[in-house]
Amino acid sequence: MDIKILVAAHKKYWMPKDSVYLPIQVGAALHPALGYVLDNTGDNISAKNPNYCELTALYWAWKNLDCEYIGLCHYRRYFGHTVHSKDVEKKKSAIFTKVDYENLLKKYDVILPKKRNYYIETVRSQYEHAHFKKDLDETEKIIAEKYPGYSDAFNKVMNQRKLHILNMFVMKKSLFDEYCAWLFDILFELEKRTDMTSYDTYEARLFGFISERLFNVWLQRQNLKKCEVPVVFLENIDWPKKIANFLKRKITGKR
């Protein structure tokens, strides 16, 4: 199988040696080259990286990369086997190889990270507590205008409590191309309608945040055989801090 798994990176970091992985520097138009594939060649939106995050790599791959299967990981997050250890070397050894992907893609249409469970919030209320409600509302309007067949899927996803996050996946390139045409049409329209002059650097990552929700909306409408697998995070997560921030947003409404 001709598989390419993009590894989105904005700084030098350890990379897997397996040939299936293609490290790509996101926002390359704005920063010195790191020695990875650059997302500012050919047809690209590299300069939009502060607002589009890893989507600048997706856009580049959509327009410039030829392969049979494509996926996205991050320089610190990879698909892999379950690992119960804080040891970085053990985590690295748990990361999927090309053989792992091939075995799964023989049986499934798309590989996805296990869903995050928000437990006490819906996908909609979590977004509204963590970001700006108006942007999600405008996205809903755009879908109703341009892709009304997805409105029911949008509402269903928004009322759920679980979500595939991180924009991580592996699927056929032809399917990916269809997804990107849909996704970027919506996001570019949202960009035209949004004034972000008052947004801080975190909230300016708007289109990255919205795309995580839209990916789930798109999946909701597709008749695909899905496989959910663990995500190996190479750095330890400060869960008490994340939970405290989550509860703070929920209770006070402050980000």
Side-chain angles (χ1 to χ4, degrees):
M1 291 182 180
D2 178 17
I3 308 170
K4 292 297 181 187
I5 311 295
L6 302 172
V7 183
H10 59 81
K11 65 180 182 180
K12 271 289 192 182
Y13 204 83
W14 174 88
M15 293 287 173
K17 301 299 183 185
D18 196 295
S19 62
V20 76
Y21 292 105
L22 181 68
I24 179 167
Q25 181 179 344
V26 295
L30 306 173
H31 304 284
L34 299 174
Y36 304 144
V37 170
L38 305 177
D39 73 345
N40 66 337
T41 60
D43 188 349
N44 72 87
I45 57 169
S46 179
K48 294 179 182 286
N49 180 256
N51 307 125
Y52 280 78
C53 309
E54 63 274 1
L55 298 185
T56 60
L58 288 194
Y59 186 93
W60 178 87
W62 174 34
K63 296 295 186 178
N64 301 286
L65 189 61
D66 183 21
C67 55
E68 184 182 5
Y69 292 89
I70 189 167
L72 176 73
C73 290
H74 303 262
Y75 70 99
R76 296 178 299 170
R77 300 180 181 91
Y78 296 87
F79 290 116
H81 304 282
T82 300
V83 55
H84 300 291
S85 174
K86 292 185 177 181
D87 183 87
V88 175
E89 294 307 315
K90 289 182 179 179
K91 290 181 179 182
K92 289 178 180 178
S93 66
I95 293 171
F96 277 176
T97 64
K98 184 177 183 181
V99 173
D100 292 313
Y101 289 116
E102 287 178 334
N103 289 336
L104 289 174
L105 291 169
K106 289 174 184 176
K107 298 181 287 185
Y108 299 98
D109 297 316
V110 58
I111 301 170
L112 299 165
K114 289 184 177 180
K115 288 183 176 180
R116 172 174 289 179
N117 193 332
Y118 292 114
Y119 294 103
I120 62 174
E121 290 200 295
T122 64
V123 171
R124 185 187 293 273
S125 63
Q126 187 278 331
Y127 189 93
E128 292 174 353
H129 285 127
H131 308 290
F132 293 124
K133 178 180 183 297
K134 69 178 184 66
D135 297 328
L136 191 63
D137 290 344
E138 195 63 41
T139 301
E140 185 172 11
K141 290 178 184 177
I142 293 169
I143 288 175
E145 294 168 13
K146 298 175 75 73
Y147 300 96
Y150 280 85
S151 288
D152 286 346
F154 183 91
N155 287 322
K156 186 168 185 178
V157 169
M158 290 301 114
N159 289 322
Q160 293 174 351
R161 296 181 186 272
K162 294 182 179 181
L163 191 74
H164 295 294
I165 61 169
L166 306 173
N167 281 322
M168 290 176 60
F169 65 87
V170 186
M171 66 178 83
K172 281 188 175 180
K173 178 63 161 53
S174 57
L175 190 60
F176 166 78
D177 290 344
E178 293 176 14
Y179 167 61
C180 284
W182 177 86
L183 173 68
F184 286 105
D185 188 37
I186 294 170
L187 294 181
F188 289 161
E189 181 60 32
L190 180 62
E191 184 177 9
K192 293 176 186 176
R193 302 184 187 188
T194 306
D195 179 4
M196 293 189 291
T197 53
S198 64
Y199 287 23
D200 61 22
T201 54
Y202 178 72
E203 289 302 340
R205 294 159 58 187
L206 166 63
F207 307 109
F209 297 140
I210 288 290
S211 68
E212 288 180 296
R213 281 76 186 172
L214 287 179
F215 183 44
N216 287 260
V217 173
W218 182 79
L219 287 171
Q220 186 69 38
R221 275 289 305 269
Q222 311 306 310
N223 184 26
L224 302 176
K225 292 182 66 176
K226 307 177 185 71
C227 175
E228 295 185 6
V229 300
V231 172
V232 177
F233 189 35
L234 295 181
E235 296 178 1
N236 294 323
I237 303 173
D238 189 345
W239 284 111
K241 181 178 180 181
K242 288 181 74 70
I243 293 170
N245 288 338
F246 170 75
L247 293 174
K248 177 182 177 182
R249 294 195 303 266
K250 177 69 174 177
I251 296 169
T252 69
K254 295 180 180 179
R255 298 174 183 83

